[in-house]
Amino acid sequence: MNAMIDRLIEKIMEMKNPTVAGLDPKLDYVPEAMKQAAFKEYGETFEGATQAILAFNKELIDALCDIVPAVKPQAAYYEMYGVPGIACMQETIRYAQSKGMYVILDAKRGDIGATSEAYAKAYLGETAIGGQEIPAYGADCMTVNPYLGTDGVKPFTEQCAKHQKGIFVLVKTSNPSSGELQDLKVKGKCIYEHVAELVKGWGSDLIGQYGYSSVGAVVGATYPEQAEALRAQMPHTYFLVPGYGAQGGKAEDVAKSFNPDGLGAIVNASRSIMCAYQKQGGTPGDAARAEAIRMRDDIMGAVNKKSL
Amino acid sequence: MNAMIDRLIEKIMEMKNPTVAGLDPKLDYVPEAMKQAAFKEYGETFEGATQAILAFNKELIDALCDIVPAVKPQAAYYEMYGVPGIACMQETIRYAQSKGMYVILDAKRGDIGATSEAYAKAYLGETAIGGQEIPAYGADCMTVNPYLGTDGVKPFTEQCAKHQKGIFVLVKTSNPSSGELQDLKVKGKCIYEHVAELVKGWGSDLIGQYGYSSVGAVVGATYPEQAEALRAQMPHTYFLVPGYGAQGGKAEDVAKSFNPDGLGAIVNASRSIMCAYQKQGGTPGDAARAEAIRMRDDIMGAVNKKSL
């Protein structure tokens, strides 16, 4: 089997679309009729809420699966519904994969070695029970927090190697206060640049046939200058780029995360795709598809302009 | 209702025991007979594994609840069993609370603002569905990762204020490579000292009647010199201290995390308590209780010696 990053790159090239649709299903995003139908059947309960969310996710996945290579479920918005929320997250992962999409689970885990190993096996690998090995979630990729250093990340890269999976490690996040720690300067370099060096090292054994590692980096669209510098610093690292759209990142900002080969980044949008129907009317699926095409063309235009 | 940290401190004083029992239930820790009984009824499945773990956790909680103030379930070891794992985590939290123990959920979450809010409501607060607000997990405290800065942590402190809950933010972790990022020096101070300053600020509005904030810090027992300096730097911050026992921290090391008032820290041990029966024989509950008493006396001895 190919390295995860190769399979993701091939899907991106095939669809000419370096974007990922975030599935952060706040209940406010779900159409009223869909919610009421689920509440009527299951009550105003975790079960009712997650049935509505699952129906919404499936409509979005159906509408996007032939033009968008991947989805990124945000774990928090499933965990908040307890057990039914986790069942909904599992079913969303399975459904997206059954439609040919890759799943980047945004869970931002990171712990001491033994505990990171449990997380890595849970989300990317298999859980051992007696003589069996059972995948609990089976995501293709996940996001990882680097604060604990190498021994907190290594169990994830081990599962990447064993099961041809991928991770994206937080380097420079998109939120307003990301600089409080990440921009502190040590010997003339910011913390996020030190993290970038670590990420390069963690991924150096997992480089695929297109020259990119299955150990990627999260680099926010909201900090284009930093993204440009990081792009130069880590040429073999794929970037997962949040912050386009609702958070303020523009196409020319995210273009800085791409290499001259037109590869090197996958750009996420969540709210603008999930809630497109609230702005533009139509069904959630049709509106999401139209917005995903607009986003693809917007970003590809800026990337192609840069590559000329 | 009192601030979370006041309730925890009162329990610690009442029991004269500043420790917390980690519930990181690797399947290897569970007695063979308990596993086989669950496998017989539920198969070698996630359901079978988590039924065995729940029975083990309940025996430990029953044996410890009148002498140990709190338990610390490590989320990874439940998440790895999918949906039944989450049900087991919820039931473990509920059972420990029904026996009067406080629950510090070790989940190390941290994300951009809106997502941290979802995590904070999930684990400490309530999830809104239609006209209802339902607690998904209802833990008393949880651990939080600071890498995203203030807007990634504030949603947690807001839930602490609203629901009288607590958090412990990672400052200096106990693992071997924690220094890779945390010890980098900025303007003469380590990153973890910068994080310590942020933690003080985040907790300044949540100080209870004993002079401690409901926003605490994780400070590993394996770095006693750093713990001593942090103790001086943040006198109003309670420390959650992992790394005692199996990871190598000794009583005189953890004593450095206490203030002269004999308060200021709660020390975790997981494996040494959960697996005491493997070393000492007897039932898991009896062995765990004996080890918890030995640990309490070991640590109180060192703390009292320091306070003299």
Side-chain angles (χ1 to χ4, degrees):
Chain A
M1 190 159 53
N2 284 341
M4 173 59 218
I5 194 66
D6 290 349
R7 287 180 283 141
L8 183 63
I9 288 170
E10 281 159 13
K11 193 99 182 166
I12 288 170
M13 291 193 299
E14 178 196 322
M15 293 185 169
K16 299 188 174 55
N17 188 359
T19 72
V20 46
L23 294 178
D24 311 359
K26 296 194 193 183
L27 214 42
D28 291 347
Y29 295 178
V30 180
E32 200 53 37
M34 222 173 233
K35 262 189 297 198
Q36 291 314 324
F39 286 165
K40 203 175 161 188
E41 195 169 346
Y42 300 95
E44 287 193 3
T45 58
F46 288 163
E47 189 62 35
T50 53
Q51 288 293 340
I53 286 168
L54 186 60
F56 184 49
N57 283 352
K58 285 184 173 178
E59 177 168 343
L60 296 173
I61 289 165
D62 286 341
L64 299 173
C65 64
D66 64 325
I67 54 165
V68 177
V71 289
K72 182 175 77 65
Q74 166 52 256
Y77 293 106
Y78 301 86
E79 292 175 30
M80 69 190 292
Y81 300 107
V83 164
I86 300 303
C88 176
M89 186 164 85
Q90 283 182 327
E91 185 54 27
T92 296
I93 292 170
R94 258 186 239 125
Y95 191 76
Q97 288 173 336
S98 79
K99 296 284 169 173
M101 300 183 96
Y102 289 109
V103 175
I104 303 167
L105 184 67
D106 197 355
K108 295 186 176 65
R109 299 298 195 266
D111 212 297
I112 67 168
T115 305
S116 277
E117 190 185 347
Y119 281 129
K121 288 183 171 175
Y123 292 108
L124 302 175
E126 294 165 341
T127 299
I129 300 175
Q132 311 210 67
E133 306 262 350
I134 312 171
Y137 296 91
D140 300 292
C141 302
M142 70 184 290
T143 54
V144 169
N145 186 305
Y147 190 67
L148 285 89
T150 296
D151 61 33
V153 175
K154 217 162 175 194
F156 292 99
T157 61
E158 284 167 3
Q159 293 301 308
C160 288
K162 189 171 178 190
H163 298 284
Q164 289 77 47
K165 301 293 177 91
I167 56 170
F168 291 95
V169 182
L170 304 185
V171 172
K172 174 66 185 167
T173 58
S174 61
N175 60 313
S177 65
S178 75
E180 280 178 12
L181 281 185
Q182 296 163 29
D183 292 0
L184 289 176
K185 280 211 167 166
V186 180
K187 295 180 189 160
K189 284 200 308 187
C190 290
I191 291 297
Y192 69 80
E193 295 171 287
H194 287 271
V195 175
E197 280 308 304
L198 289 170
V199 170
K200 282 166 71 172
W202 294 330
S204 62
D205 291 339
L206 291 167
I207 292 183
Q209 59 171 311
Y210 301 100
Y212 291 100
S213 173
S214 288
V215 177
V218 174
V219 178
T222 43
Y223 299 100
E225 279 174 48
Q226 291 87 334
E228 191 167 25
L230 286 168
R231 187 64 288 167
Q233 188 188 342
M234 42 196 336
H236 303 292
T237 305
Y238 232 82
F239 289 2
L240 171 62
V241 181
Y244 172 84
Q247 285 183 56
K250 295 187 179 15
E252 59 265 34
D253 298 329
V254 305
K256 295 189 192 303
S257 285
F258 286 79
N259 272 322
D261 61 3
L263 296 171
I266 184 162
V267 181
N268 180 74
S270 304
R271 204 188 329 165
S272 56
I273 290 178
M274 302 186 80
C275 299
Y277 78 96
Q278 293 176 350
K279 261 191 170 172
Q280 296 157 19
T283 67
D286 289 346
R289 187 178 174 90
E291 172 59 19
I293 290 171
R294 193 206 59 74
M295 175 184 174
R296 176 195 70 192
D297 295 345
D298 185 35
I299 290 171
M300 284 303 282
V303 172
N304 288 333
K305 205 167 147 189
K306 189 194 164 198
S307 300
L308 285 178
Chain B
M1 190 158 50
N2 284 345
M4 174 58 218
I5 194 66
D6 290 348
R7 285 179 285 139
L8 184 61
I9 288 170
E10 283 160 12
K11 193 99 182 166
I12 289 170
M13 293 193 297
E14 179 196 321
M15 293 185 169
K16 297 189 176 52
N17 188 358
T19 72
V20 46
L23 295 178
D24 311 0
K26 294 193 193 185
L27 214 43
D28 291 346
Y29 295 179
V30 180
E32 201 54 37
M34 224 174 231
K35 262 190 295 197
Q36 291 313 325
F39 286 165
K40 202 175 162 189
E41 193 168 347
Y42 299 97
E44 287 193 2
T45 59
F46 289 164
E47 190 63 35
T50 53
Q51 289 292 340
I53 287 168
L54 186 60
F56 185 50
N57 282 351
K58 284 183 174 180
E59 176 168 346
L60 296 174
I61 290 167
D62 287 341
L64 299 174
C65 64
D66 64 325
I67 55 165
V68 176
V71 289
K72 182 173 77 66
Q74 167 52 256
Y77 293 105
Y78 301 87
E79 292 176 30
M80 69 191 293
Y81 300 106
V83 164
I86 300 302
C88 177
M89 185 164 86
Q90 284 182 326
E91 186 53 28
T92 297
I93 292 171
R94 257 187 240 123
Y95 191 77
Q97 289 174 334
S98 78
K99 296 284 169 172
M101 299 183 96
Y102 288 110
V103 175
I104 302 167
L105 184 68
D106 197 354
K108 297 189 176 59
R109 299 297 195 268
D111 211 297
I112 67 168
T115 306
S116 277
E117 190 184 346
Y119 280 128
K121 287 183 172 175
Y123 292 107
L124 302 176
E126 295 165 340
T127 299
I129 299 176
Q132 309 211 67
E133 307 261 348
I134 311 171
Y137 296 90
D140 300 294
C141 302
M142 68 184 289
T143 54
V144 169
N145 185 303
Y147 189 68
L148 284 91
T150 297
D151 61 33
V153 175
K154 215 162 178 198
F156 292 99
T157 60
E158 285 167 3
Q159 293 301 308
C160 288
K162 189 172 177 190
H163 297 284
Q164 287 78 46
K165 300 293 176 89
I167 58 172
F168 290 94
V169 182
L170 304 185
V171 172
K172 174 66 184 166
T173 58
S174 60
N175 58 314
S177 66
S178 75
E180 279 178 12
L181 281 185
Q182 296 164 27
D183 293 0
L184 290 176
K185 279 211 168 166
V186 181
K187 294 179 189 160
K189 284 200 307 187
C190 289
I191 293 297
Y192 70 79
E193 296 172 287
H194 287 271
V195 176
E197 281 307 305
L198 289 170
V199 171
K200 281 165 71 173
W202 294 331
S204 62
D205 291 340
L206 291 168
I207 292 183
Q209 59 172 311
Y210 301 99
Y212 290 100
S213 172
S214 287
V215 177
V218 174
V219 178
T222 43
Y223 298 100
E225 278 174 48
Q226 291 87 334
E228 189 166 28
L230 286 167
R231 186 66 285 168
Q233 188 189 343
M234 42 197 332
H236 303 292
T237 305
Y238 232 80
F239 289 2
L240 171 63
V241 181
Y244 172 84
Q247 285 184 57
K250 295 185 175 19
E252 59 266 32
D253 298 330
V254 306
K256 296 189 191 302
S257 286
F258 286 78
N259 273 321
D261 61 3
L263 296 171
I266 182 161
V267 181
N268 181 74
S270 303
R271 204 187 330 164
S272 56
I273 291 178
M274 301 185 80
C275 299
Y277 78 95
Q278 294 175 350
K279 262 192 172 172
Q280 296 158 20
T283 69
D286 288 346
R289 187 180 174 91
E291 172 58 20
I293 290 170
R294 192 208 59 75
M295 175 185 174
R296 176 196 70 191
D297 294 345
D298 185 35
I299 290 171
M300 284 303 283
V303 171
N304 288 333
K305 203 167 148 190
K306 189 194 163 197
S307 300
L308 287 177

